[in-house]
Amino acid sequence: MDEINKQLIFSTEDNGKENQTPSSDAQDKQCGTWRLKITPVDYLLGVADLTGELMRMCINSVGNGDIDTPFEVSQFLRQVYDGFSFIGNTGPYEVSKKLYTLKQSLAKVENACYALKVRGSEIPKHMLADVFSVKTEMIDQEEGIS
């Protein structure tokens, strides 16, 4: 988070009067520093949103025939979920909502890994994407998402 906040410092200069020699007061008015500050809650919500995108990447990689990525993503998502579960319901409401969504994303990735491990040799690679899209729709309907 500190590294992100360091990257969100911007300086502006007004070069409209290049030929004039401004006084120190005028120079201060022409130059400005703008900072955007990411709060801890914003950072956590961003990480939680990232997990949803990783889940989509995982399912798409299976459809492209990449079998290694889902297992790497699954391991990373488990670590993120473990970190979020320490916060649990003690954090802000938005974070606890994201925890539920993160759990769903992790379940989808783990189901993909399970299917690859157990059924991967039975299903041709070009049909894996269809299997996962149907399974994802079934999970979403059970959870009342779609």
Side-chain angles (χ1 to χ4, degrees):
M1 188 173 76
D2 291 334
E3 192 64 34
I4 292 170
N5 281 327
K6 287 178 188 175
Q7 293 178 12
L8 295 175
I9 299 173
F10 304 98
S11 297
T12 59
E13 294 182 23
D14 185 14
N15 293 328
K17 301 181 180 181
E18 295 173 10
N19 296 333
Q20 297 179 0
T21 308
S23 66
S24 63
D25 290 339
Q27 191 173 12
D28 290 341
K29 290 178 184 176
Q30 290 175 354
C31 297
T33 302
W34 298 89
R35 296 173 190 229
L36 295 174
K37 181 138 172 100
I38 302 298
T39 65
V41 173
D42 289 336
Y43 182 78
L44 290 174
L45 294 175
V47 170
D49 286 341
L50 171 69
T51 61
E53 298 304 320
L54 288 173
M55 181 269 300
R56 287 180 192 83
M57 182 189 78
C58 170
I59 301 302
N60 287 335
S61 67
V62 171
N64 294 333
D66 181 5
I67 297 175
D68 297 327
T69 299
F71 294 99
E72 293 171 9
V73 170
S74 175
Q75 183 179 9
F76 179 73
L77 287 182
R78 277 190 211 112
Q79 292 172 348
V80 172
Y81 180 75
D82 289 344
F84 267 80
S85 61
F86 285 121
I87 298 169
N89 292 331
T90 61
Y93 176 70
E94 297 89 6
V95 175
S96 61
K97 278 179 44 179
K98 292 286 185 177
L99 180 63
Y100 178 74
T101 306
L102 193 151
K103 186 176 182 179
Q104 289 178 319
S105 295
L106 178 59
K108 290 176 186 179
V109 170
E110 286 178 339
N111 282 334
C113 291
Y114 172 79
L116 283 172
K117 199 71 158 173
V118 174
R119 311 265 335 217
S121 61
E122 299 171 0
I123 302 171
K125 285 188 178 182
H126 69 280
M127 295 179 68
L128 284 174
D130 295 333
V131 170
F132 291 120
S133 66
V134 169
K135 196 167 210 168
T136 301
E137 287 174 14
M138 290 172 42
I139 291 172
D140 287 346
Q141 287 175 357
E142 289 173 3
E143 297 289 335
I145 293 175
S146 50

mmCIF file of all heavy atoms in Angstrom, residues 5 11 30 35 51 56 58 60 67 70 82-84 105 110 120 125-127 130 134-135 140 144:
data_model
loop_
_atom_site.group_PDB
_atom_site.id
_atom_site.type_symbol
_atom_site.label_atom_id
_atom_site.label_comp_id
_atom_site.label_asym_id
_atom_site.label_seq_id
_atom_site.Cartn_x
_atom_site.Cartn_y
_atom_site.Cartn_z
ATOM 1 N N ASN A 5 0.939 4.339 -2.762
ATOM 2 C CA ASN A 5 0.781 5.744 -2.390
ATOM 3 C C ASN A 5 1.966 6.596 -2.856
ATOM 4 O O ASN A 5 1.794 7.760 -3.204
ATOM 5 C CB ASN A 5 0.575 5.892 -0.883
ATOM 6 C CG ASN A 5 -0.847 5.565 -0.477
ATOM 7 O OD1 ASN A 5 -1.791 5.812 -1.218
ATOM 8 N ND2 ASN A 5 -1.005 5.008 0.703
ATOM 9 N N SER A 11 3.293 16.142 -9.682
ATOM 10 C CA SER A 11 3.699 17.542 -9.646
ATOM 11 C C SER A 11 3.237 18.209 -10.925
ATOM 12 O O SER A 11 3.327 17.631 -12.010
ATOM 13 C CB SER A 11 5.215 17.669 -9.536
ATOM 14 O OG SER A 11 5.659 17.116 -8.330
ATOM 15 N N GLN A 30 2.799 28.590 -9.234
ATOM 16 C CA GLN A 30 2.826 27.915 -10.516
ATOM 17 C C GLN A 30 3.097 26.421 -10.373
ATOM 18 O O GLN A 30 2.706 25.635 -11.211
ATOM 19 C CB GLN A 30 3.885 28.531 -11.417
ATOM 20 C CG GLN A 30 3.521 29.930 -11.875
ATOM 21 C CD GLN A 30 4.641 30.562 -12.662
ATOM 22 O OE1 GLN A 30 5.724 30.010 -12.766
ATOM 23 N NE2 GLN A 30 4.377 31.737 -13.217
ATOM 24 N N ARG A 35 -1.613 14.759 -4.441
ATOM 25 C CA ARG A 35 -1.459 13.402 -3.919
ATOM 26 C C ARG A 35 -2.811 12.715 -3.859
ATOM 27 O O ARG A 35 -3.792 13.314 -3.448
ATOM 28 C CB ARG A 35 -0.887 13.427 -2.508
ATOM 29 C CG ARG A 35 0.497 13.976 -2.430
ATOM 30 C CD ARG A 35 0.916 14.130 -0.993
ATOM 31 N NE ARG A 35 2.153 14.887 -0.973
ATOM 32 C CZ ARG A 35 3.220 14.524 -0.300
ATOM 33 N NH1 ARG A 35 3.198 13.452 0.450
ATOM 34 N NH2 ARG A 35 4.309 15.241 -0.345
ATOM 35 N N THR A 51 -9.068 -10.724 -7.086
ATOM 36 C CA THR A 51 -9.306 -12.168 -7.005
ATOM 37 C C THR A 51 -10.398 -12.610 -7.978
ATOM 38 O O THR A 51 -10.321 -13.701 -8.533
ATOM 39 C CB THR A 51 -9.674 -12.597 -5.571
ATOM 40 O OG1 THR A 51 -10.870 -11.939 -5.169
ATOM 41 C CG2 THR A 51 -8.557 -12.288 -4.608
ATOM 42 N N ARG A 56 -11.538 -15.378 -13.298
ATOM 43 C CA ARG A 56 -11.884 -15.355 -14.723
ATOM 44 C C ARG A 56 -10.697 -15.785 -15.579
ATOM 45 O O ARG A 56 -10.858 -16.523 -16.548
ATOM 46 C CB ARG A 56 -12.341 -13.956 -15.124
ATOM 47 C CG ARG A 56 -13.714 -13.610 -14.603
ATOM 48 C CD ARG A 56 -14.135 -12.203 -15.038
ATOM 49 N NE ARG A 56 -15.312 -11.780 -14.315
ATOM 50 C CZ ARG A 56 -15.319 -11.237 -13.101
ATOM 51 N NH1 ARG A 56 -14.183 -11.044 -12.480
ATOM 52 N NH2 ARG A 56 -16.432 -10.888 -12.511
ATOM 53 N N CYS A 58 -8.353 -17.773 -14.699
ATOM 54 C CA CYS A 58 -8.175 -19.209 -14.493
ATOM 55 C C CYS A 58 -9.098 -20.004 -15.413
ATOM 56 O O CYS A 58 -8.660 -20.930 -16.090
ATOM 57 C CB CYS A 58 -8.460 -19.543 -13.031
ATOM 58 S SG CYS A 58 -8.571 -21.289 -12.675
ATOM 59 N N ASN A 60 -10.611 -18.989 -18.133
ATOM 60 C CA ASN A 60 -10.234 -18.770 -19.533
ATOM 61 C C ASN A 60 -8.988 -19.558 -19.911
ATOM 62 O O ASN A 60 -8.880 -20.047 -21.033
ATOM 63 C CB ASN A 60 -10.005 -17.286 -19.800
ATOM 64 C CG ASN A 60 -11.292 -16.505 -19.846
ATOM 65 O OD1 ASN A 60 -12.354 -17.059 -20.127
ATOM 66 N ND2 ASN A 60 -11.217 -15.227 -19.561
ATOM 67 N N ILE A 67 -3.186 -25.831 -18.451
ATOM 68 C CA ILE A 67 -3.625 -26.610 -17.304
ATOM 69 C C ILE A 67 -2.866 -26.223 -16.036
ATOM 70 O O ILE A 67 -3.333 -26.467 -14.926
ATOM 71 C CB ILE A 67 -3.460 -28.118 -17.608
ATOM 72 C CG1 ILE A 67 -4.355 -28.485 -18.784
ATOM 73 C CG2 ILE A 67 -3.812 -28.979 -16.410
ATOM 74 C CD1 ILE A 67 -4.202 -29.895 -19.268
ATOM 75 N N PRO A 70 -4.497 -22.758 -13.529
ATOM 76 C CA PRO A 70 -5.526 -22.898 -12.487
ATOM 77 C C PRO A 70 -4.971 -23.329 -11.134
ATOM 78 O O PRO A 70 -5.431 -22.841 -10.090
ATOM 79 C CB PRO A 70 -6.476 -23.954 -13.045
ATOM 80 C CG PRO A 70 -6.305 -23.860 -14.512
ATOM 81 C CD PRO A 70 -4.874 -23.499 -14.739
ATOM 82 N N ASP A 82 -7.155 -16.781 3.126
ATOM 83 C CA ASP A 82 -6.701 -16.944 4.510
ATOM 84 C C ASP A 82 -6.421 -15.592 5.157
ATOM 85 O O ASP A 82 -6.781 -15.351 6.307
ATOM 86 C CB ASP A 82 -5.446 -17.820 4.577
ATOM 87 C CG ASP A 82 -5.736 -19.281 4.283
ATOM 88 O OD1 ASP A 82 -6.918 -19.679 4.317
ATOM 89 O OD2 ASP A 82 -4.769 -20.030 4.001
ATOM 90 N N GLY A 83 -5.783 -14.704 4.405
ATOM 91 C CA GLY A 83 -5.510 -13.363 4.919
ATOM 92 C C GLY A 83 -6.784 -12.599 5.207
ATOM 93 O O GLY A 83 -6.918 -11.943 6.242
ATOM 94 N N PHE A 84 -7.757 -12.688 4.304
ATOM 95 C CA PHE A 84 -9.029 -11.990 4.505
ATOM 96 C C PHE A 84 -9.831 -12.599 5.647
ATOM 97 O O PHE A 84 -10.573 -11.900 6.328
ATOM 98 C CB PHE A 84 -9.861 -12.012 3.224
ATOM 99 C CG PHE A 84 -9.654 -10.820 2.351
ATOM 100 C CD1 PHE A 84 -8.551 -10.740 1.523
ATOM 101 C CD2 PHE A 84 -10.552 -9.776 2.350
ATOM 102 C CE1 PHE A 84 -8.341 -9.650 0.707
ATOM 103 C CE2 PHE A 84 -10.358 -8.673 1.538
ATOM 104 C CZ PHE A 84 -9.249 -8.614 0.724
ATOM 105 N N SER A 105 -15.335 -17.170 -5.635
ATOM 106 C CA SER A 105 -14.319 -17.247 -6.680
ATOM 107 C C SER A 105 -13.353 -18.393 -6.404
ATOM 108 O O SER A 105 -12.981 -19.141 -7.313
ATOM 109 C CB SER A 105 -13.541 -15.933 -6.777
ATOM 110 O OG SER A 105 -14.366 -14.882 -7.181
ATOM 111 N N GLU A 110 -11.278 -23.855 -7.418
ATOM 112 C CA GLU A 110 -11.017 -25.197 -6.878
ATOM 113 C C GLU A 110 -11.820 -26.256 -7.618
ATOM 114 O O GLU A 110 -11.330 -27.371 -7.826
ATOM 115 C CB GLU A 110 -11.307 -25.219 -5.383
ATOM 116 C CG GLU A 110 -10.246 -24.496 -4.580
ATOM 117 C CD GLU A 110 -10.524 -24.464 -3.096
ATOM 118 O OE1 GLU A 110 -11.699 -24.641 -2.679
ATOM 119 O OE2 GLU A 110 -9.565 -24.247 -2.329
ATOM 120 N N GLY A 120 -9.715 -34.548 -16.037
ATOM 121 C CA GLY A 120 -8.953 -33.912 -17.111
ATOM 122 C C GLY A 120 -8.529 -34.851 -18.218
ATOM 123 O O GLY A 120 -8.538 -34.486 -19.394
ATOM 124 N N LYS A 125 -9.294 -31.490 -24.517
ATOM 125 C CA LYS A 125 -8.940 -30.119 -24.136
ATOM 126 C C LYS A 125 -9.857 -29.073 -24.761
ATOM 127 O O LYS A 125 -10.160 -28.071 -24.135
ATOM 128 C CB LYS A 125 -7.488 -29.813 -24.504
ATOM 129 C CG LYS A 125 -6.496 -30.447 -23.580
ATOM 130 C CD LYS A 125 -5.108 -29.971 -23.874
ATOM 131 C CE LYS A 125 -4.140 -30.606 -22.890
ATOM 132 N NZ LYS A 125 -2.786 -30.150 -23.095
ATOM 133 N N HIS A 126 -10.311 -29.301 -25.981
ATOM 134 C CA HIS A 126 -11.160 -28.304 -26.633
ATOM 135 C C HIS A 126 -12.560 -28.233 -26.016
ATOM 136 O O HIS A 126 -13.295 -27.291 -26.241
ATOM 137 C CB HIS A 126 -11.239 -28.561 -28.141
ATOM 138 C CG HIS A 126 -12.009 -29.805 -28.508
ATOM 139 N ND1 HIS A 126 -11.442 -31.052 -28.438
ATOM 140 C CD2 HIS A 126 -13.282 -29.975 -28.911
ATOM 141 C CE1 HIS A 126 -12.327 -31.958 -28.817
ATOM 142 N NE2 HIS A 126 -13.461 -31.326 -29.105
ATOM 143 N N MET A 127 -12.921 -29.208 -25.186
ATOM 144 C CA MET A 127 -14.249 -29.206 -24.549
ATOM 145 C C MET A 127 -14.188 -28.755 -23.091
ATOM 146 O O MET A 127 -15.233 -28.591 -22.461
ATOM 147 C CB MET A 127 -14.867 -30.602 -24.637
ATOM 148 C CG MET A 127 -15.167 -31.042 -26.053
ATOM 149 S SD MET A 127 -15.870 -32.688 -26.114
ATOM 150 C CE MET A 127 -17.448 -32.418 -25.358
ATOM 151 N N ASP A 130 -16.263 -25.576 -22.218
ATOM 152 C CA ASP A 130 -17.707 -25.796 -22.138
ATOM 153 C C ASP A 130 -18.104 -26.422 -20.811
ATOM 154 O O ASP A 130 -19.106 -26.047 -20.206
ATOM 155 C CB ASP A 130 -18.183 -26.693 -23.288
ATOM 156 C CG ASP A 130 -18.001 -26.043 -24.652
ATOM 157 O OD1 ASP A 130 -18.000 -24.794 -24.708
ATOM 158 O OD2 ASP A 130 -17.852 -26.776 -25.644
ATOM 159 N N VAL A 134 -20.579 -24.402 -17.989
ATOM 160 C CA VAL A 134 -21.828 -24.990 -17.485
ATOM 161 C C VAL A 134 -21.759 -25.136 -15.973
ATOM 162 O O VAL A 134 -22.711 -24.804 -15.253
ATOM 163 C CB VAL A 134 -22.096 -26.353 -18.167
ATOM 164 C CG1 VAL A 134 -23.223 -27.093 -17.474
ATOM 165 C CG2 VAL A 134 -22.403 -26.151 -19.635
ATOM 166 N N LYS A 135 -20.638 -25.594 -15.461
ATOM 167 C CA LYS A 135 -20.482 -25.779 -14.017
ATOM 168 C C LYS A 135 -20.547 -24.439 -13.276
ATOM 169 O O LYS A 135 -21.153 -24.331 -12.215
ATOM 170 C CB LYS A 135 -19.156 -26.485 -13.720
ATOM 171 C CG LYS A 135 -19.059 -27.061 -12.357
ATOM 172 C CD LYS A 135 -17.883 -27.993 -12.260
ATOM 173 C CE LYS A 135 -18.227 -29.047 -11.257
ATOM 174 N NZ LYS A 135 -17.348 -30.147 -11.224
ATOM 175 N N ASP A 140 -23.542 -20.455 -9.890
ATOM 176 C CA ASP A 140 -24.154 -19.133 -9.770
ATOM 177 C C ASP A 140 -25.648 -19.226 -9.490
ATOM 178 O O ASP A 140 -26.191 -18.466 -8.694
ATOM 179 C CB ASP A 140 -23.918 -18.318 -11.043
ATOM 180 C CG ASP A 140 -22.475 -17.849 -11.174
ATOM 181 O OD1 ASP A 140 -21.741 -17.938 -10.160
ATOM 182 O OD2 ASP A 140 -22.092 -17.425 -12.278
ATOM 183 N N GLY A 144 -27.736 -17.947 -6.265
ATOM 184 C CA GLY A 144 -28.699 -16.884 -6.548
ATOM 185 C C GLY A 144 -28.071 -15.671 -7.181
ATOM 186 O O GLY A 144 -28.569 -14.561 -7.040
#
